[in-house]
Amino acid sequence: MNQAHPFTRRDFLKTASAATLSALSAGFPQAVFGDETAVEKVKGTADTVIVLWMGGGMAHTETFDPKRYTPFEKGMAPDSFLSTFPSIDTAVDNIKFSEGLEKLGAVMDRGTLIRSYTAGDLGFILHSRHQYQWHTGYAPPQTVAAPHLGAIIARTLGPLNAAVPAFINIGQRFDVGEGEELKAFTTAGFLGSEYGPFNIAFPDQAADTVRPPGGMTPARFEDRNKFYKKLLAASPITENGSDYQKESLLRSLDNAHRLLSSPAAKAFDLSLEPLENIRQYVPNYEPGQKFNAEQDRFGAKYEEQMVGRFGLGCLLARRLAEVGARYIEVTTEYIPFLNWDTHENGHTRAAAMKKQIDSPVSQLVLDLGSRGLLNRTLIVLASEFSRDSLREG
Protein backbone atom coordinates (compact mmCIF):
# COMPACT_ATOMS: atom_id res chain seq x y z
CA MET A 1 0.00 0.00 0.00
CA ASN A 2 1.30 3.49 -0.83
CA GLN A 3 1.75 5.19 2.56
CA ALA A 4 2.40 8.61 0.95
CA HIS A 5 -1.26 8.81 -0.14
CA PRO A 6 -3.31 6.79 2.36
CA PHE A 7 -6.85 5.99 1.20
CA THR A 8 -9.08 4.66 3.97
CA ARG A 9 -12.34 2.77 3.64
CA ARG A 10 -14.18 5.85 4.88
CA ASP A 11 -12.64 7.91 2.06
CA PHE A 12 -13.76 5.28 -0.48
CA LEU A 13 -17.35 5.33 0.81
CA LYS A 14 -17.46 9.13 0.66
CA THR A 15 -16.21 9.14 -2.95
CA ALA A 16 -18.52 6.33 -4.06
CA SER A 17 -21.56 7.99 -2.45
CA ALA A 18 -20.80 11.31 -4.12
CA ALA A 19 -20.39 9.65 -7.49
CA THR A 20 -23.64 7.73 -7.10
CA LEU A 21 -25.60 10.83 -6.12
CA SER A 22 -24.12 12.74 -9.05
CA ALA A 23 -25.17 10.02 -11.49
CA LEU A 24 -28.71 9.89 -10.07
CA SER A 25 -29.12 13.66 -10.21
CA ALA A 26 -27.91 13.76 -13.81
CA GLY A 27 -31.05 11.96 -15.04
CA PHE A 28 -31.15 10.34 -18.48
CA PRO A 29 -28.23 10.82 -20.89
CA GLN A 30 -28.52 14.04 -22.90
CA ALA A 31 -27.23 14.92 -26.35
CA VAL A 32 -23.82 16.61 -26.09
CA PHE A 33 -24.47 19.05 -28.89
CA GLY A 34 -27.78 20.65 -29.84
CA ASP A 35 -31.33 19.79 -28.96
CA GLU A 36 -31.95 16.04 -28.66
CA THR A 37 -35.39 16.54 -30.22
CA ALA A 38 -33.66 17.56 -33.44
CA VAL A 39 -32.26 14.05 -33.94
CA GLU A 40 -34.24 12.44 -36.74
CA LYS A 41 -35.52 8.98 -35.90
CA VAL A 42 -35.62 6.39 -38.63
CA LYS A 43 -39.12 5.08 -39.22
CA GLY A 44 -39.76 1.77 -40.93
CA THR A 45 -41.77 1.98 -44.13
CA ALA A 46 -42.05 -1.68 -45.12
CA ASP A 47 -45.44 -3.36 -45.00
CA THR A 48 -44.53 -6.31 -47.26
CA VAL A 49 -41.81 -8.96 -46.90
CA ILE A 50 -40.28 -11.08 -49.66
CA VAL A 51 -37.93 -13.81 -48.41
CA LEU A 52 -35.66 -15.39 -51.01
CA TRP A 53 -34.70 -18.70 -49.44
CA MET A 54 -31.46 -20.40 -50.49
CA GLY A 55 -32.39 -23.84 -49.20
CA GLY A 56 -29.54 -26.25 -48.59
CA GLY A 57 -26.83 -24.09 -47.05
CA MET A 58 -25.28 -21.48 -49.34
CA ALA A 59 -21.49 -21.20 -49.08
CA HIS A 60 -20.89 -17.60 -47.93
CA THR A 61 -17.23 -17.54 -49.02
CA GLU A 62 -18.29 -18.38 -52.58
CA THR A 63 -21.12 -15.83 -52.74
CA PHE A 64 -21.49 -12.72 -50.55
CA ASP A 65 -18.40 -12.94 -48.32
CA PRO A 66 -15.41 -13.87 -50.52
CA LYS A 67 -12.05 -14.51 -48.89
CA ARG A 68 -8.56 -15.22 -50.26
CA TYR A 69 -8.94 -16.54 -53.82
CA THR A 70 -7.45 -19.86 -54.89
CA PRO A 71 -8.16 -21.00 -58.47
CA PHE A 72 -10.22 -24.17 -58.49
CA GLU A 73 -8.48 -27.41 -59.40
CA LYS A 74 -10.09 -30.79 -59.50
CA GLY A 75 -9.13 -32.84 -56.47
CA MET A 76 -7.93 -29.87 -54.38
CA ALA A 77 -8.13 -30.42 -50.63
CA PRO A 78 -10.99 -28.54 -48.92
CA ASP A 79 -8.61 -27.28 -46.23
CA SER A 80 -6.29 -25.65 -48.78
CA PHE A 81 -8.43 -22.67 -49.78
CA LEU A 82 -11.06 -20.17 -48.66
CA SER A 83 -12.71 -19.12 -51.95
CA THR A 84 -12.51 -20.70 -55.40
CA PHE A 85 -14.04 -17.69 -57.18
CA PRO A 86 -12.37 -14.27 -57.42
CA SER A 87 -14.05 -11.32 -55.74
CA ILE A 88 -15.76 -8.56 -57.71
CA ASP A 89 -16.63 -4.95 -56.96
CA THR A 90 -20.16 -3.89 -56.08
CA ALA A 91 -21.97 -0.55 -56.18
CA VAL A 92 -20.75 0.09 -52.62
CA ASP A 93 -17.11 0.87 -51.91
CA ASN A 94 -15.19 -1.87 -50.08
CA ILE A 95 -18.01 -4.43 -50.32
CA LYS A 96 -17.04 -7.36 -52.49
CA PHE A 97 -19.09 -10.24 -53.86
CA SER A 98 -17.97 -13.46 -55.47
CA GLU A 99 -17.68 -13.73 -59.23
CA GLY A 100 -21.02 -14.67 -60.77
CA LEU A 101 -23.08 -12.14 -58.82
CA GLU A 102 -22.34 -9.09 -60.96
CA LYS A 103 -25.96 -7.98 -61.37
CA LEU A 104 -26.64 -8.30 -57.66
CA GLY A 105 -23.49 -6.32 -56.96
CA ALA A 106 -24.82 -3.52 -59.16
CA VAL A 107 -27.87 -3.03 -56.88
CA MET A 108 -26.02 -3.42 -53.57
CA ASP A 109 -26.47 0.32 -52.93
CA ARG A 110 -30.14 -0.47 -52.24
CA GLY A 111 -29.39 -3.13 -49.65
CA THR A 112 -27.62 -4.08 -46.44
CA LEU A 113 -25.22 -7.00 -46.11
CA ILE A 114 -25.24 -8.88 -42.80
CA ARG A 115 -22.21 -11.12 -42.34
CA SER A 116 -22.53 -11.70 -38.60
CA TYR A 117 -25.36 -14.28 -38.46
CA THR A 118 -24.48 -17.39 -36.47
CA ALA A 119 -26.62 -20.49 -36.85
CA GLY A 120 -27.95 -22.12 -33.69
CA ASP A 121 -26.19 -25.10 -32.15
CA LEU A 122 -28.72 -27.83 -32.95
CA GLY A 123 -26.45 -30.83 -32.76
CA PHE A 124 -26.32 -32.76 -35.98
CA ILE A 125 -26.36 -30.52 -39.05
CA LEU A 126 -29.78 -31.49 -40.27
CA HIS A 127 -31.01 -28.87 -42.72
CA SER A 128 -34.67 -29.04 -41.82
CA ARG A 129 -33.90 -28.44 -38.12
CA HIS A 130 -32.03 -25.23 -38.91
CA GLN A 131 -34.72 -24.14 -41.37
CA TYR A 132 -37.30 -24.75 -38.66
CA GLN A 133 -35.45 -22.50 -36.22
CA TRP A 134 -34.86 -19.74 -38.78
CA HIS A 135 -38.52 -19.64 -39.83
CA THR A 136 -40.13 -19.97 -36.39
CA GLY A 137 -37.57 -18.75 -33.87
CA TYR A 138 -37.81 -22.04 -31.99
CA ALA A 139 -35.42 -24.98 -31.86
CA PRO A 140 -37.17 -28.24 -32.76
CA PRO A 141 -38.83 -30.34 -31.60
CA GLN A 142 -41.65 -28.41 -29.94
CA THR A 143 -44.64 -29.71 -28.01
CA VAL A 144 -46.96 -27.49 -30.09
CA ALA A 145 -47.02 -26.57 -33.76
CA ALA A 146 -44.95 -23.38 -33.92
CA PRO A 147 -46.13 -20.86 -36.51
CA HIS A 148 -44.02 -19.88 -39.50
CA LEU A 149 -42.71 -16.32 -39.71
CA GLY A 150 -45.11 -15.68 -42.60
CA ALA A 151 -48.08 -16.77 -40.48
CA ILE A 152 -46.98 -14.52 -37.62
CA ILE A 153 -46.80 -11.52 -39.95
CA ALA A 154 -50.18 -12.42 -41.50
CA ARG A 155 -51.76 -12.70 -38.04
CA THR A 156 -50.12 -9.59 -36.60
CA LEU A 157 -50.52 -7.18 -39.51
CA GLY A 158 -53.49 -8.70 -41.31
CA PRO A 159 -53.97 -8.74 -45.07
CA LEU A 160 -53.22 -5.76 -47.28
CA ASN A 161 -55.86 -7.04 -49.69
CA ALA A 162 -58.65 -9.19 -48.26
CA ALA A 163 -58.85 -11.18 -51.50
CA VAL A 164 -55.15 -12.10 -51.57
CA PRO A 165 -53.55 -14.65 -49.22
CA ALA A 166 -51.35 -12.82 -46.75
CA PHE A 167 -48.78 -15.65 -46.67
CA ILE A 168 -47.69 -17.20 -49.98
CA ASN A 169 -44.97 -19.85 -50.31
CA ILE A 170 -43.45 -20.41 -53.77
CA GLY A 171 -41.19 -23.14 -55.10
CA GLN A 172 -41.04 -25.85 -52.42
CA ARG A 173 -42.55 -29.29 -52.85
CA PHE A 174 -43.32 -31.46 -49.84
CA ASP A 175 -43.16 -34.88 -51.52
CA VAL A 176 -39.35 -34.85 -51.79
CA GLY A 177 -36.58 -35.60 -49.27
CA GLU A 178 -37.32 -34.29 -45.75
CA GLY A 179 -40.70 -33.07 -46.99
CA GLU A 180 -42.45 -34.00 -43.76
CA GLU A 181 -39.86 -32.09 -41.75
CA LEU A 182 -40.41 -29.02 -43.92
CA LYS A 183 -44.16 -29.29 -43.40
CA ALA A 184 -43.57 -29.11 -39.65
CA PHE A 185 -42.76 -25.39 -39.85
CA THR A 186 -44.52 -24.38 -43.08
CA THR A 187 -47.73 -23.91 -41.16
CA ALA A 188 -49.68 -21.38 -39.13
CA GLY A 189 -49.48 -23.77 -36.18
CA PHE A 190 -51.51 -22.70 -33.17
CA LEU A 191 -52.44 -19.37 -34.85
CA GLY A 192 -55.11 -21.08 -36.95
CA SER A 193 -55.56 -22.30 -40.53
CA GLU A 194 -56.58 -18.90 -41.93
CA TYR A 195 -52.99 -17.65 -41.46
CA GLY A 196 -51.38 -20.68 -43.10
CA PRO A 197 -49.40 -20.62 -46.36
CA PHE A 198 -50.85 -20.61 -49.84
CA ASN A 199 -48.39 -23.07 -51.41
CA ILE A 200 -47.38 -22.85 -55.07
CA ALA A 201 -44.81 -25.51 -55.96
CA PHE A 202 -44.36 -24.47 -59.60
CA PRO A 203 -44.68 -20.74 -60.36
CA ASP A 204 -45.38 -21.39 -64.05
CA GLN A 205 -48.51 -23.23 -62.91
CA ALA A 206 -49.62 -20.60 -60.39
CA ALA A 207 -52.67 -19.61 -62.44
CA ASP A 208 -54.04 -23.14 -62.06
CA THR A 209 -54.11 -22.73 -58.28
CA VAL A 210 -56.69 -19.92 -58.43
CA ARG A 211 -59.16 -21.33 -60.92
CA PRO A 212 -61.49 -24.35 -60.85
CA PRO A 213 -60.44 -27.46 -62.80
CA GLY A 214 -61.14 -27.38 -66.51
CA GLY A 215 -64.75 -28.18 -67.45
CA MET A 216 -66.14 -27.46 -64.00
CA THR A 217 -69.09 -25.05 -64.09
CA PRO A 218 -69.50 -22.41 -61.37
CA ALA A 219 -72.67 -24.18 -60.13
CA ARG A 220 -70.87 -27.51 -59.79
CA PHE A 221 -67.97 -25.84 -58.04
CA GLU A 222 -70.36 -24.26 -55.54
CA ASP A 223 -72.02 -27.63 -54.90
CA ARG A 224 -68.64 -29.20 -54.22
CA ASN A 225 -67.77 -26.37 -51.84
CA LYS A 226 -70.97 -27.00 -49.86
CA PHE A 227 -70.31 -30.74 -49.78
CA TYR A 228 -66.78 -30.15 -48.53
CA LYS A 229 -68.13 -28.12 -45.63
CA LYS A 230 -70.42 -31.04 -44.73
CA LEU A 231 -67.40 -33.37 -44.69
CA LEU A 232 -65.56 -30.84 -42.59
CA ALA A 233 -68.38 -30.82 -40.07
CA ALA A 234 -67.76 -34.52 -39.45
CA SER A 235 -63.96 -34.24 -39.31
CA PRO A 236 -61.84 -34.68 -36.13
CA ILE A 237 -60.98 -30.96 -35.96
CA THR A 238 -64.66 -30.09 -35.84
CA GLU A 239 -65.43 -32.73 -33.24
CA ASN A 240 -62.35 -32.27 -31.07
CA GLY A 241 -60.87 -28.89 -31.94
CA SER A 242 -61.45 -25.63 -30.14
CA ASP A 243 -64.01 -23.13 -31.35
CA TYR A 244 -61.17 -20.86 -32.41
CA GLN A 245 -59.59 -23.55 -34.62
CA LYS A 246 -62.95 -24.44 -36.16
CA GLU A 247 -63.77 -20.83 -36.98
CA SER A 248 -60.27 -20.22 -38.34
CA LEU A 249 -60.59 -23.19 -40.70
CA LEU A 250 -63.95 -21.96 -42.00
CA ARG A 251 -62.51 -18.48 -42.53
CA SER A 252 -59.63 -19.98 -44.53
CA LEU A 253 -62.17 -21.65 -46.84
CA ASP A 254 -64.05 -18.39 -47.27
CA ASN A 255 -60.77 -16.62 -48.08
CA ALA A 256 -59.94 -19.18 -50.77
CA HIS A 257 -63.39 -18.85 -52.30
CA ARG A 258 -63.07 -15.06 -52.31
CA LEU A 259 -59.74 -15.26 -54.20
CA LEU A 260 -61.21 -17.37 -57.00
CA SER A 261 -63.70 -14.67 -57.90
CA SER A 262 -61.41 -11.68 -57.34
CA PRO A 263 -59.68 -9.62 -60.08
CA ALA A 264 -56.51 -10.03 -57.97
CA ALA A 265 -56.34 -13.65 -59.15
CA LYS A 266 -54.89 -12.36 -62.43
CA ALA A 267 -51.65 -11.63 -60.58
CA PHE A 268 -51.04 -15.41 -60.43
CA ASP A 269 -51.16 -15.71 -64.24
CA LEU A 270 -47.63 -15.19 -65.59
CA SER A 271 -48.88 -15.47 -69.17
CA LEU A 272 -50.23 -11.93 -68.73
CA GLU A 273 -46.72 -10.59 -68.19
CA PRO A 274 -44.98 -9.19 -71.31
CA LEU A 275 -42.41 -11.63 -72.69
CA GLU A 276 -39.59 -9.08 -72.50
CA ASN A 277 -40.27 -8.66 -68.77
CA ILE A 278 -40.16 -12.41 -68.16
CA ARG A 279 -36.82 -12.65 -69.94
CA GLN A 280 -35.36 -10.12 -67.52
CA TYR A 281 -35.91 -12.76 -64.84
CA VAL A 282 -35.38 -15.86 -66.98
CA PRO A 283 -33.11 -15.20 -69.98
CA ASN A 284 -34.10 -17.12 -73.13
CA TYR A 285 -37.51 -17.96 -71.70
CA GLU A 286 -40.05 -19.25 -74.24
CA PRO A 287 -43.83 -19.01 -73.76
CA GLY A 288 -45.27 -22.20 -72.32
CA GLN A 289 -41.89 -23.42 -71.09
CA LYS A 290 -42.24 -25.84 -68.17
CA PHE A 291 -39.98 -26.18 -65.16
CA ASN A 292 -41.11 -29.42 -63.57
CA ALA A 293 -38.17 -31.73 -64.18
CA GLU A 294 -38.02 -34.84 -62.05
CA GLN A 295 -35.41 -35.17 -59.36
CA ASP A 296 -32.18 -36.65 -60.71
CA ARG A 297 -29.27 -36.30 -58.33
CA PHE A 298 -26.51 -37.90 -60.40
CA GLY A 299 -27.52 -36.93 -63.93
CA ALA A 300 -28.04 -33.28 -62.91
CA LYS A 301 -31.07 -33.12 -65.22
CA TYR A 302 -33.15 -31.62 -62.41
CA GLU A 303 -30.79 -28.74 -61.79
CA GLU A 304 -30.19 -28.05 -65.48
CA GLN A 305 -33.90 -27.83 -66.23
CA MET A 306 -34.85 -25.92 -63.09
CA VAL A 307 -32.73 -22.82 -63.69
CA GLY A 308 -35.76 -20.72 -64.66
CA ARG A 309 -38.06 -21.87 -61.89
CA PHE A 310 -36.62 -19.57 -59.22
CA GLY A 311 -36.63 -16.69 -61.70
CA LEU A 312 -40.33 -17.14 -62.40
CA GLY A 313 -40.89 -17.34 -58.65
CA CYS A 314 -39.27 -13.92 -58.19
CA LEU A 315 -41.42 -12.49 -60.99
CA LEU A 316 -44.52 -13.98 -59.39
CA ALA A 317 -43.49 -12.48 -56.05
CA ARG A 318 -43.32 -9.04 -57.63
CA ARG A 319 -46.79 -9.44 -59.14
CA LEU A 320 -48.22 -10.65 -55.83
CA ALA A 321 -46.61 -7.79 -53.90
CA GLU A 322 -48.30 -5.39 -56.31
CA VAL A 323 -51.78 -6.72 -55.48
CA GLY A 324 -51.31 -6.85 -51.70
CA ALA A 325 -49.69 -10.10 -50.55
CA ARG A 326 -48.17 -9.45 -47.13
CA TYR A 327 -45.45 -12.15 -46.88
CA ILE A 328 -44.05 -14.00 -49.89
CA GLU A 329 -41.31 -16.60 -49.75
CA VAL A 330 -39.55 -17.85 -52.89
CA THR A 331 -37.16 -20.76 -52.55
CA THR A 332 -34.56 -22.37 -54.77
CA GLU A 333 -36.11 -25.51 -53.24
CA TYR A 334 -34.48 -27.64 -50.62
CA ILE A 335 -33.85 -31.24 -51.68
CA PRO A 336 -31.03 -33.15 -49.97
CA PHE A 337 -27.86 -33.17 -52.11
CA LEU A 338 -29.31 -30.81 -54.72
CA ASN A 339 -29.17 -27.07 -55.40
CA TRP A 340 -27.30 -25.29 -52.57
CA ASP A 341 -26.73 -28.58 -50.72
CA THR A 342 -23.41 -28.96 -52.52
CA HIS A 343 -22.01 -32.24 -51.24
CA GLU A 344 -20.76 -33.09 -54.74
CA ASN A 345 -19.12 -31.01 -57.49
CA GLY A 346 -19.33 -28.00 -55.18
CA HIS A 347 -17.49 -25.48 -57.36
CA THR A 348 -19.44 -26.27 -60.53
CA ARG A 349 -22.77 -26.33 -58.75
CA ALA A 350 -22.09 -23.09 -56.87
CA ALA A 351 -21.45 -21.41 -60.22
CA ALA A 352 -24.75 -22.78 -61.55
CA MET A 353 -26.70 -21.65 -58.49
CA LYS A 354 -25.29 -18.13 -58.72
CA LYS A 355 -26.38 -18.03 -62.34
CA GLN A 356 -29.84 -19.08 -61.18
CA ILE A 357 -30.25 -16.22 -58.69
CA ASP A 358 -28.21 -13.30 -60.07
CA SER A 359 -30.60 -12.01 -62.74
CA PRO A 360 -33.96 -12.57 -61.02
CA VAL A 361 -33.02 -11.17 -57.61
CA SER A 362 -31.45 -8.03 -59.06
CA GLN A 363 -34.39 -7.57 -61.45
CA LEU A 364 -36.83 -7.93 -58.57
CA VAL A 365 -35.08 -5.07 -56.79
CA LEU A 366 -35.11 -2.91 -59.93
CA ASP A 367 -38.76 -3.66 -60.74
CA LEU A 368 -39.97 -2.85 -57.24
CA GLY A 369 -37.96 0.36 -57.34
CA SER A 370 -39.37 1.47 -60.70
CA ARG A 371 -42.90 0.79 -59.46
CA GLY A 372 -42.44 2.76 -56.26
CA LEU A 373 -42.71 -0.37 -54.11
CA LEU A 374 -39.14 -0.83 -52.90
CA ASN A 375 -39.51 1.62 -50.01
CA ARG A 376 -42.36 -0.48 -48.60
CA THR A 377 -40.99 -3.95 -49.41
CA LEU A 378 -38.34 -5.69 -47.30
CA ILE A 379 -36.43 -8.25 -49.39
CA VAL A 380 -34.48 -10.80 -47.34
CA LEU A 381 -32.09 -13.28 -48.98
CA ALA A 382 -31.00 -15.96 -46.53
CA SER A 383 -29.96 -19.58 -46.02
CA GLU A 384 -30.15 -21.89 -43.00
CA PHE A 385 -26.35 -21.95 -42.57
CA SER A 386 -23.18 -21.69 -44.60
CA ARG A 387 -20.72 -24.33 -45.74
CA ASP A 388 -17.41 -24.91 -47.45
CA SER A 389 -18.49 -25.50 -51.05
CA LEU A 390 -16.08 -28.43 -51.50
CA ARG A 391 -16.50 -30.04 -48.11
CA GLU A 392 -17.80 -33.59 -48.43
CA GLY A 393 -17.38 -33.35 -52.19
Side-chain angles (χ1 to χ4, degrees), residues 68-316:
R68 184 182 68 248
Y69 167 57
T70 303
F72 173 74
E73 295 180 3
K74 188 175 182 179
M76 65 192 304
D79 295 333
S80 67
F81 73 96
L82 293 176
S83 297
T84 60
F85 294 91
S87 62
I88 60 170
D89 292 329
T90 69
V92 180
D93 292 341
N94 301 317
I95 291 183
K96 306 287 186 180
F97 284 175
S98 172
E99 181 183 63
L101 297 174
E102 287 76 12
K103 292 182 178 180
L104 268 170
V107 298
M108 186 56 215
D109 56 331
R110 286 110 160 148
T112 298
L113 185 63
I114 301 174
R115 289 171 169 164
S116 56
Y117 172 74
T118 301
D121 184 3
L122 302 180
F124 294 107
I125 302 179
L126 185 63
H127 292 269
S128 56
R129 286 173 58 81
H130 285 269
Q131 293 188 40
Y132 185 108
Q133 185 180 45
W134 195 97
H135 284 93
T136 68
Y138 295 94
Q142 293 291 315
T143 57
V144 296
H148 188 286
L149 172 63
I152 296 172
I153 291 176
R155 170 67 174 79
T156 304
L157 300 181
L160 282 171
N161 182 339
V164 178
F167 172 16
I168 301 176
N169 192 47
I170 303 171
Q172 181 65 57
R173 291 172 292 171
F174 298 100
D175 57 354
V176 293
E178 295 185 34
E180 291 300 319
E181 288 82 355
L182 299 180
K183 285 182 184 179
F185 63 84
T186 311
T187 173
F190 55 75
L191 293 181
S193 301
E194 64 188 298
Y195 305 111
F198 188 97
N199 291 311
I200 304 172
F202 297 98
D204 55 300
Q205 301 172 23
D208 296 336
T209 65
V210 293
R211 62 168 65 114
M216 181 174 292
T217 64
R220 185 184 174 197
F221 180 79
E222 184 61 34
D223 288 341
R224 294 184 68 172
N225 185 48
K226 292 178 180 178
F227 183 65
Y228 178 74
K229 288 186 176 182
K230 289 181 179 180
L231 293 176
L232 189 61
S235 68
I237 190 172
T238 301
E239 294 179 358
N240 305 313
S242 66
D243 290 341
Y244 175 82
Q245 293 292 341
K246 297 174 189 176
E247 293 169 0
S248 181
L249 180 56
L250 291 174
R251 284 194 294 268
S252 69
L253 293 175
D254 292 337
N255 292 341
H257 197 269
R258 186 184 305 115
L259 173 61
L260 293 175
S261 57
S262 169
K266 293 181 179 179
F268 291 78
D269 191 349
L270 293 180
S271 68
L272 300 178
E273 188 76 17
L275 181 59
E276 58 270 23
N277 290 1
I278 299 178
R279 286 177 174 167
Q280 293 294 322
Y281 288 83
V282 185
N284 305 316
Y285 173 83
E286 293 298 332
Q289 187 174 349
K290 298 296 182 181
F291 299 94
N292 54 355
E294 295 182 1
Q295 179 179 341
D296 184 349
R297 171 182 173 186
F298 298 103
K301 294 179 182 178
Y302 165 85
E303 289 176 328
E304 291 175 4
Q305 296 181 46
M306 298 301 283
V307 170
R309 185 172 163 203
F310 178 76
L312 290 184
C314 289
L315 173 58
L316 181 59

